[in-house]
Amino acid sequence: MENLILPCKSRPPLATPSKQGTSFECSSRIIQPRVSFTKIHQPLTPKLKPKVTDAHLNHLCKNGRLADAIACLDAIAQGGSNVKPNTYMQLLQSCIDQGSAELGRKLHARIGLLEEMNPFVETKLVSMYAKCGSLGEARKVFGEMRERNLYAWSAMIGAYSREQMWREVVQHFFFMMEDGIVPDEFLLPKILQACGNCGDAETGKLIHSLVIRCGMNFNIRVSNSILAVYAKCGRLSCARRFFENMDYRDRVSWNSIITGYCQKGELEKSHQLFEKMQEEGIEPGLVTWNILINSYSQSGKCDDAMELMKKMESFRIVPDVFTWTSMISGFAQNNRRSQALELFREMLLAGIEPNGVTVTSGISACASLKALKKGMELHSVAVKIGCVEDLLVGNSLIDMYSKSGELEDARRVFDMILKKDVYTWNSMIGGYCQAGYCGKAYDLFIKMHESDVPPNVVTWNAMISGYIQNGDEDQAMDLFHRMEKDGLIKRDTASWNSLIAGYLQNGHKNKALGIFRQMQSFCIRPNSVTMLSILPACANLVAAKKVKEIHGCILRRNLGSELSVANCLIDTYAKSGNIVYAQTIFQGISSKDIISWNSLIAGYVLHGCSDSALDLFDQMTKMGVKPSRGTFLSIIYAFSLSGMVDKGKQVFSSMMEDYQILPGLEHHSAMIDLLGRSGKLGEAIEFIEDMAIEPDSCIWAALLTASKIHGNIGLAIRAGECLLELEPSNFSIHQQILQMYALSGKFEDVSKLRKSEKRSETKQPLGCSWIEAKNIVHTFVADDRSRPYFDFLHSWIENVARKVKAPDQHDRLFIEEEEKEEIGGVHSEKLALAFALIDPSCAPRSVRIVKNLRMCGDCHGTAKFLSMLYSCEIYLSDSKCLHWFKNGRCSCGDYW
């Protein structure tokens, strides 16, 4: 056989890299071709068959008979004839058109039939393999070429570009330049696109200088590609300068610069460019509108995006599936999921067929809303349009069915997905955990270990969270410790957050705070989720110092600027008795939301500062902030504290009339407080009887308080009996009804109630109070004689009692939840007060006590007296409200 040696004008061939990122270095040796480029030695047998011409081969190709054409090559070989390069390249082009790498390989095997070999045939061979999806074989042929011209490099770079291997495209650009080949205006846009997609602005600048030197800077495609690199890489100053200096700008140019500003979040500037584009006579196309609409919707400005979409239609540009998908996903991601689903319905009515991303966004919205019926409808849509096998759609379906409690349906979808990713596994495991099926979750967790998708940190966190939230704290801690040891997965902030949230859910505040301290000792940075979990655990008077400590941690971690954290701090400071700090944080928030306003208004009401609450409400309405359900609840209580009954009624009426907010049971309870505090008991009972919803225990408790304060024993008994029906095991209700029966002479009823108590084994709660001193929380129990200094405290209390003026009873019924001191001994809050104030030399300026039961009238009077005697502030939170004693007065107005 006679070798056809091609002249080598270029450098030695490259060791072409693999997709996995092999080193890109030029080889110093010539690679001998393993794919033969040789002529076949023709046999000397007589030509029995008719000669197959190139024209015949072209005819077969044009008629789609490529396999027959390749079969004819064997006849050509037997006849001793050759194939012209153009005919061979036409056959290769037919392989490309049919996407058949298999026929291309057969054609490659017969390359020896070529009349003559040239670089264009080799280039076409590279192109054929690349475009038919055989990148490895394309690389092999490219690596064995003796001469690589511009077209060969273009074919190889085009192949990498189609596979989105952007870094390989950029590296091949440098190899190409080393080989002495300069890309032309057709290849440069592909290389520049790769620079933009992998964020390589420096190579983009290098190519920009090359373009200027080669005189290609007047080519609009090349110029637009350079502009796109600067914009995608965030070099907006360079992009804007280049854009302004362009001699000619088309729609693509404007789209690129607008996209750059949108990606940086500078929507105002992007909109200005959009307007300027129209002023210069360039009409925005569908792509331009979609860029803006997508940017506005994804940044949370959904209403602005909706306006743009309407404006787009006024320009007679019909929204396509990308437009609708941008809107739907934007609304869904910004907690406007019902509107997202409404948009999905409108899209279908408009005759636009959704794609997989649209369906995924819709199903995710259904998952968050737990809208099972709509989710199932979207499942049907996915089946109809053929995207149900899409991994994203499948994962969203698992999530939707899991959150809706339909775990069997979720498992069916899970089992149908052949190639699962980590999100598929995590969705199913998370679904089992949330439903309390931790055993099934663990079985799947073990299977995941055995699969080709190992568990990640999210999987471990889901398991930890599942176990601890379902009460199995030991198993959760075991997984937490095994995570790094067995799973080789480093614990993240979410791992610690899972434990903190679980312990808090189970009522173990001290354990949660202990985990938080451990987290800090391990140098794990807490995030906003950590703070939003741990702060409510400190929302009590005893933990006031702890709140300040956590606040310091928030400032050190730069989390104070997050609105949700700032709002939580306002609420926590108010509940821990520090309304001044709450006010300071509120004033420091630059962009307040309704939660910010509600938190401080509620804080003022909690502290009895009704005037401050109403003033803040006025400020809020003047600023155009629409009140919510929580706002109205606080404002009704504020009017109640101020004795402004008519205004309270007006606010309640305006909820439905002006704001279309249906009052809930909590608003009705506030109205009973409003009417009861002012002594309008008849109106209060009428209000209850006219309620459209069934009264709950809060309604009757409010009426009971009002009846006791104003001395209406009959109404008090009625309210107490209604309460007892709703909460038959509540001992404090039993205790109060017994006292009311005794006061009204119903001794038979007293006897019956005592018998029912014995049958139901209703237990009397023990009065407990807690106070913090020198970072230690001290617990006091009623008549706690176990303490060595009890006698000393008791003597101090007796001395104070002699000085306390007996309260003016008026018509008030002194019916208490706790046994009288003559029977049950000194109440716990008095012991706590004595402990705090017994040493006048170090008496604190403020005393903070938490009690589990409603404080009695005598203890209330004592606290008022002590606040005046010691010139201190006493904060006492009982089961009814927060009492703030100062200068002999209480924030509750003696109504609790």
Side-chain angles (χ1 to χ4, degrees), residues 505-519:
Q505 182 184 300
N506 296 334
H508 300 149
K509 291 183 181 180
N510 289 334
K511 287 184 178 180
L513 289 166
I515 294 293
F516 179 68
R517 281 191 289 270
Q518 283 184 45
M519 181 182 184

Side-chain angles (χ1 to χ4, degrees), residues 340-549:
L341 293 175
E342 181 59 27
L343 280 169
F344 195 99
R345 189 186 69 83
E346 288 178 21
M347 180 188 70
L348 295 178
L349 291 173
I352 304 296
E353 184 176 288
N355 57 25
V357 179
T358 330
V359 173
T360 299
S361 298
I363 293 170
S364 298
C366 293
S368 299
L369 295 169
K370 296 184 180 179
L372 178 61
K373 188 177 178 182
K374 288 184 179 178
M376 293 173 74
E377 288 172 7
L378 289 179
H379 190 172
S380 301
V381 171
V383 173
K384 186 178 179 181
I385 65 174
C387 70
V388 75
E389 293 180 2
D390 185 295
L391 187 60
L392 284 174
V393 174
N395 289 346
S396 62
L397 281 170
I398 294 170
D399 187 50
M400 185 272 294
Y401 281 123
S402 296
K403 286 179 178 174
S404 300
E406 299 295 328
L407 290 171
E408 290 183 7
D409 290 329
R411 188 57 187 262
R412 271 194 287 272
V413 176
F414 175 84
D415 292 335
M416 284 171 61
I417 299 175
L418 300 177
K419 192 169 178 61
K420 302 173 178 67
D421 65 3
V422 70
Y423 188 84
T424 318
W425 288 93
N426 288 350
S427 296
M428 195 66 243
I429 289 171
Y432 278 134
C433 287
Q434 286 171 7
Y437 297 115
C438 294
K440 289 186 177 181
Y442 190 79
D443 291 341
L444 212 56
F445 181 64
I446 297 300
K447 285 183 181 179
M448 189 178 181
H449 275 281
E450 298 165 356
S451 74
D452 57 351
V453 182
N456 63 3
V457 67
V458 177
T459 325
W460 284 89
N461 290 347
M463 291 298 302
I464 292 166
S465 183
Y467 273 111
I468 198 164
Q469 287 182 7
N470 285 287
D472 196 339
E473 295 174 5
D474 293 338
Q475 184 65 25
M477 284 301 297
D478 180 59
L479 283 168
F480 182 78
H481 292 304
R482 280 172 48 197
M483 190 173 176
E484 292 189 353
K485 184 180 177 183
D486 299 346
L488 303 177
I489 299 289
K490 188 176 181 181
R491 292 188 288 258
D492 64 1
T493 304
S495 313
W496 295 85
N497 289 349
S498 298
L499 287 179
I500 290 169
Y503 278 127
L504 288 172
Q505 182 184 300
N506 296 334
H508 300 149
K509 291 183 181 180
N510 289 334
K511 287 184 178 180
L513 289 166
I515 294 293
F516 179 68
R517 281 191 289 270
Q518 283 184 45
M519 181 182 184
Q520 291 175 295
S521 66
F522 278 94
C523 298
I524 304 296
R525 289 180 66 90
N527 58 18
S528 57
V529 177
T530 321
M531 298 309 175
L532 293 173
S533 296
I534 205 70
L535 276 171
C538 305
N540 62 73
L541 297 176
V542 174
K545 288 182 182 177
K546 193 68 185 176
V547 178
K548 289 184 180 180
E549 180 189 324

